[in-house]
Amino acid sequence: MLKEQEINLVSLIDNFGSEEACRNHLRKLRWPEGVRCLRCGSDQVPWLENQKKHQCRSCRYQFSVTTNTIFHDTHLPLWKWFLAVYLITEAKKGISANQLKRTLGVSYKTAWYLAHRIRDALNEVDAQLLKGIVEVDESFVGGKVEGKGRAYKGNKTVVVGAMQRGGNICLQVVRGTDRETLHGFIRENTSGDTEAIYTDEWPAYRGIADSDTKHEAVKHQDKEWARGEVHTNSIENVWSLLKQSIVGSYHQVSAKHLDAYLDELEFRFNNRENPHMFRDAMLKLVVADNLPYAKLIADQAHLVRFS
Ligand SMILES: [Zn+2]
C-alpha cells in the first residue's frame, strides 16, 4: 500500500498507472470494511472479472466500483481522474482547464467539466468553525473601481473571507458588504466563543463583539495597518493568492463559478500541511454527488474577465 507522504507525480504513476490499480484503490476507500451490495447490503458479492463488476449473491444486482459515484458514467479512464485530482490539489495557484486538457490529452470540454466536478466534490461541507483570533475582510474580485467607495459594487463580485490565525480559512461570495451580510457570515463560520475578531474600519462590522468575543479594527484610512497583533494581513495574503490564481491560471471566472474556485482554494489552503491531502481528496470524491453537466452550464451569464 502506498505511503501517502510519498505522493508525487512519479509515485502516482507507479501506483495508479493502470485501471486495475485505480479500481482497487477506490474499492478500499469506498468500502474500508469490505464490499457491500449497493442494493441490499449483503457482503456476498464476488467479483466478475469479465464484466469488471461485483454481483450480489442475494439479490443478483451487479455493480462496479464506481456505480453511483462521480467516477461513473464517464468515458474517462480512472487513471486520468486520479491524475487530475493530483494536479488540482497540488497546484498551489490552481490549474486551468486548458492546462488540464494538454496534460491529460482530453478535450477542453472534458477538462473543464472534470475540474468543476472535482472542485464541487472538494467543497468543505463539514468545515469546522473558526475560533481563537479570526481576521475578517472583504474583497472585490476583479479589482476595485477607482473613485468609488466600497459600497459601490458595479458588476464586481464581492467575496468575504475569514481566517483563523495559524489555521483555516473560509471564503464565500456574498451579495454585498452591508452589516446584515457580514454579521451573518461571521456568525455562521466562527465559534460562539471566538476570542477576537479583527477587521478594518468598515462600519458594517461594528457591533459584532459580544461578552466573550472582542472586536478590534485597524484604521486603514489613517494608514494604520497593524496595532500590535491587531491586523488583517493574513486574510489579505489570501486575497492576493486568490487574485494570482485567477489571473495566472484561469484568466476569467464567471461570477457563478467563483464560489467553486473559492472552495478549491479553501481546500488546498486548509490542507496545506496535510500529508494525506491526495487521499482525503479522493475520499471526498468517492462520496460526492455527481454534478450534472446541464446544471453546471445553466445560467452562463456574467462571465467576468480578470486580465
Ligand atoms: Zn444485493
Side-chain angles (χ1 to χ4, degrees):
M1 187 66 189
L2 178 73
K3 285 193 191 128
E4 294 291 337
Q5 287 86 339
E6 292 162 14
I7 273 282
N8 56 44
L9 198 49
V10 173
S11 68
L12 188 84
I13 292 165
D14 277 352
N15 287 280
F16 304 120
S18 74
E19 285 304 280
E20 192 185 359
C22 293
R23 206 163 43 227
N24 289 340
H25 188 69
L26 286 183
R27 185 185 289 112
K28 274 184 208 143
L29 290 177
R30 193 172 184 190
W31 293 285
E33 315 280 316
V35 182
R36 294 281 180 156
C37 172
L38 292 176
R39 191 167 281 166
C40 76
S42 164
D43 60 357
Q44 297 299 303
V45 283
W47 174 248
L48 309 175
E49 181 58 31
N50 286 344
Q51 279 108 314
K52 308 286 181 215
K53 281 179 177 171
H54 288 276
Q55 183 173 34
C56 178
R57 285 216 171 103
S58 306
C59 74
R60 316 299 298 165
Y61 183 58
Q62 288 191 357
F63 58 97
S64 73
V65 170
T66 58
T67 298
N68 299 345
T69 73
I70 193 172
F71 303 100
H72 197 61
D73 196 26
T74 152
H75 301 296
L76 208 60
L78 285 175
W79 68 267
K80 290 197 180 189
W81 271 97
F82 277 54
L83 185 52
V85 172
Y86 171 78
L87 292 169
I88 285 175
T89 53
E90 189 64 19
K92 208 163 182 245
K93 292 176 188 168
I95 183 166
S96 67
N98 253 318
Q99 205 179 328
L100 263 188
K101 168 193 148 180
R102 289 192 300 270
T103 312
L104 299 178
V106 297
S107 71
Y108 178 82
K109 183 179 152 182
T110 298
W112 184 84
Y113 183 33
L114 182 64
H116 268 292
R117 278 178 297 177
I118 292 171
R119 274 184 206 113
D120 190 60
L122 296 183
N123 189 357
E124 289 234 78
V125 279
D126 51 354
Q128 290 187 339
L129 295 177
L130 307 180
K131 56 184 196 293
I133 292 175
V134 178
E135 300 178 18
V136 182
D137 194 24
E138 346 82 60
S139 180
F140 289 75
V141 176
K144 288 179 185 175
V145 179
E146 290 302 319
K148 298 277 189 183
R150 276 209 286 196
Y152 178 79
K153 284 199 307 246
N155 58 358
K156 304 285 178 264
T157 305
V158 191
V159 178
V160 61
M163 178 170 175
Q164 177 180 327
R165 285 273 170 90
N168 285 357
I169 55 172
C170 174
L171 310 173
Q172 197 177 302
V173 172
V174 289
R175 58 183 164 77
T177 57
D178 55 286
R179 178 186 166 107
E180 191 191 341
T181 303
L182 295 177
H183 282 217
F185 169 81
I186 293 171
R187 289 213 184 86
E188 246 170 60
N189 295 292
T190 59
S191 161
D193 57 356
T194 297
E195 189 184 320
I197 290 166
Y198 296 157
T199 67
D200 61 19
E201 70 273 50
W202 182 239
Y205 288 115
R206 283 179 203 153
I208 194 66
D210 62 25
S211 58
D212 54 3
T213 305
K214 63 176 178 172
H215 171 225
E216 294 205 47
V218 277
K219 299 186 178 69
H220 285 173
Q221 264 178 353
D222 302 344
K223 305 252 185 286
E224 180 195 56
W225 306 108
R227 193 170 61 250
E229 66 164 18
V230 181
H231 63 78
T232 55
N233 296 345
S234 323
I235 187 70
E236 280 167 40
N237 287 338
V238 173
W239 296 145
S240 94
L241 192 64
L242 172 66
K243 283 167 189 177
Q244 284 172 53
S245 77
I246 291 172
V247 173
S249 302
Y250 302 119
H251 308 298
Q252 55 183 27
V253 174
S254 71
K256 175 175 176 290
H257 293 313
L258 186 58
D259 248 334
Y261 287 89
L262 296 178
D263 288 340
E264 183 193 328
L265 181 71
E266 212 174 281
F267 179 84
R268 265 201 308 269
F269 193 93
N270 293 347
N271 284 281
R272 63 197 180 281
E273 286 165 7
N274 177 4
H276 307 295
M277 176 151 88
F278 179 76
R279 182 200 61 191
D280 291 351
M282 292 303 296
L283 271 171
K284 278 181 176 278
L285 260 70
V286 160
V287 299
D289 289 332
N290 207 353
L291 177 68
Y293 188 71
K295 183 184 158 201
L296 190 62
I297 58 166
D299 181 28
Q300 270 280 56
H302 313 301
L303 200 65
V304 188
R305 281 201 159 272
F306 292 101
S307 58

